[in-house]
């Protein structure tokens, strides 16, 4: 069976695309025992590649490849034998971004719950909506709130603005936490570190995505 392709994309920089991609990949590999391939679209920055390269031999393997302009042509061959391909997107809208959306079964748009970030996500939302219009509704898409502050409500205007995009918003979200930062140098995910709330959050996010991508 062909691998399911999930693209984590937002053209705004620093919205936690890479952190989300690596941890969702780790959740699928570690918790759900799936064969997962990470694809790094950002060869210049290479964050997902560095993370995967630093990963110790004791951790569940998550291979990572850099793919660029030929992704549409090459992904079916490269993803053979994998259950899931998680694509870590780039902070730009280019033909490569469009291809990463075209080949996805599911697009996840991480957005920090501040008005600047929500405004900056506008073009990304439009790109996915335009694609869905010409394809009769594929790929599936979800907005994921990222780095929320625990025990605080998202400001009402930010919450209204997110809803204004009229796309599904995941119930689960990531919260501001050092757990996502601590293991990066060793290629670790929150699942390779002591159990904490971040694990539960990524598990809940992954479950919602699995449910959407049935
Ligand atoms: N939940 C979190 N809590 C605290 N820090 C976080 C969290 N998620 C990500 N970070 C940190 O925020 C920064 C941006 O995250 P990340 O590199 O994943 O974003 P990105 O969208 O991939 O960025 P780029 O657009 O440059 O590719 C990083 O320093 C990362 O360690
Ligand atoms: Mg990144």
């Amino acid at each position: 069976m062909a691998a399911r392709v999930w693209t984590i994309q937002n053209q705004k920089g620093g919205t936690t695309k890479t952190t989300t991609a690596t941890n969702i990949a780790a959740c699928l590999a570690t918790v759900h025992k799936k064969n997962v391939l990470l694809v790094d679209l950002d060869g210049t920055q290479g964050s997902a590649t560095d993370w995967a390269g630093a990963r110790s031999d004791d951790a569940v393997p998550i291979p990572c490849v850099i793919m660029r302009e030929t992704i549409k042509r090459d992904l079916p061959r490269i993803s053979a034998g994998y259950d899931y391909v998680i694509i870590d997107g780039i902070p730009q809208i280019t033909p490569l971004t469009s291809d990463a959306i075209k080949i996805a079964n599911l697009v996840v748009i991480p957005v920090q719950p501040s008005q600047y970030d929500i405004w900056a996500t506008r073009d990304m939302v439009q790109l996915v909506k335009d694609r869905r219009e010409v394809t009769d509704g594929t790929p599936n898409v979800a907005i994921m709130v990222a780095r929320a502050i625990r025990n605080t409500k998202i400001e009402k205007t930010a919450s209204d603005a997110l809803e204004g995009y009229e796309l599904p918003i995941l119930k689960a979200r990531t919260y501001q936490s050092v757990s996502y930062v601590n293991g990066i140098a060793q290629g670790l995910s929150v699942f390779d570190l002591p159990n904490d709330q971040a694990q539960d959050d990524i598990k809940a996010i992954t479950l919602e995505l699995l449910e959407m991508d049935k």
Side-chain angles (χ1 to χ4, degrees):
M1 224 177 66
R4 304 301 291 178
V5 179
W6 295 358
T7 295
I8 320 299
Q9 175 62 35
N10 190 334
Q11 97 283 359
K12 168 98 174 69
T15 66
T16 83
K17 293 176 285 296
T18 302
T19 306
T20 304
T22 52
N23 281 287
I24 288 176
C27 184
L28 289 167
T30 311
V31 180
H32 297 276
K33 314 286 179 212
K34 301 292 184 189
N35 275 329
V36 184
L37 176 68
L38 253 180
V39 170
D40 190 343
L41 284 193
D42 196 345
T44 324
Q45 192 164 239
S47 305
T49 310
D50 287 341
W51 177 84
R55 201 162 160 78
S56 95
D57 292 341
D58 304 334
V60 176
I62 303 175
C64 182
V65 291
I66 295 174
M67 295 193 79
R68 297 286 303 172
E69 282 68 24
T70 57
I71 189 167
K72 235 170 108 192
R73 188 192 72 198
D74 292 343
L75 193 70
R77 178 175 53 79
I78 287 176
S79 64
Y82 288 99
D83 303 311
Y84 287 88
V85 173
I86 308 298
I87 301 180
D88 176 23
I90 44 172
Q92 290 163 11
I93 291 189
T94 67
L96 185 57
T97 323
S98 304
D99 280 350
I101 289 170
K102 282 183 194 155
I103 59 179
N105 300 105
L106 176 61
V107 174
V108 181
I109 309 176
V111 186
Q112 294 187 48
S114 103
Q115 187 65 60
Y116 288 132
D117 288 63
I118 296 167
W119 276 328
T121 303
R122 193 188 301 130
D123 291 352
M124 176 62 205
V125 166
Q126 199 53 51
L127 192 68
V128 182
K129 282 187 171 174
D130 290 347
R131 177 69 191 164
R132 284 166 59 84
E133 240 169 55
V134 296
T135 58
D136 275 339
T138 56
N140 241 327
V141 56
I143 290 174
M144 186 200 90
V145 174
R147 294 183 75 168
I149 313 269
R150 209 173 282 287
N151 302 322
T152 55
K153 267 196 171 169
I154 293 179
E155 200 215 339
K156 172 97 172 66
T157 46
S159 169
D160 287 351
L162 266 185
E163 277 169 21
Y165 283 142
E166 297 180 324
L167 289 178
I169 302 170
L170 297 181
K171 285 192 211 69
R173 50 182 66 163
T174 62
Y175 291 86
Q176 182 67 26
S177 163
V178 289
S179 303
Y180 294 98
V181 185
N182 280 343
I184 297 174
Q186 292 81 39
L188 301 179
S189 73
V190 294
F191 298 97
D192 306 303
L193 294 168
N195 188 7
D196 76 350
Q197 187 63 46
Q199 273 193 18
D200 291 343
D201 295 334
I202 296 288
K203 273 190 203 166
I205 288 165
T206 305
L207 276 183
E208 278 189 66
L209 298 175
L210 285 168
E211 191 60 34
M212 284 183 78
D213 190 38
K214 265 185 178 163

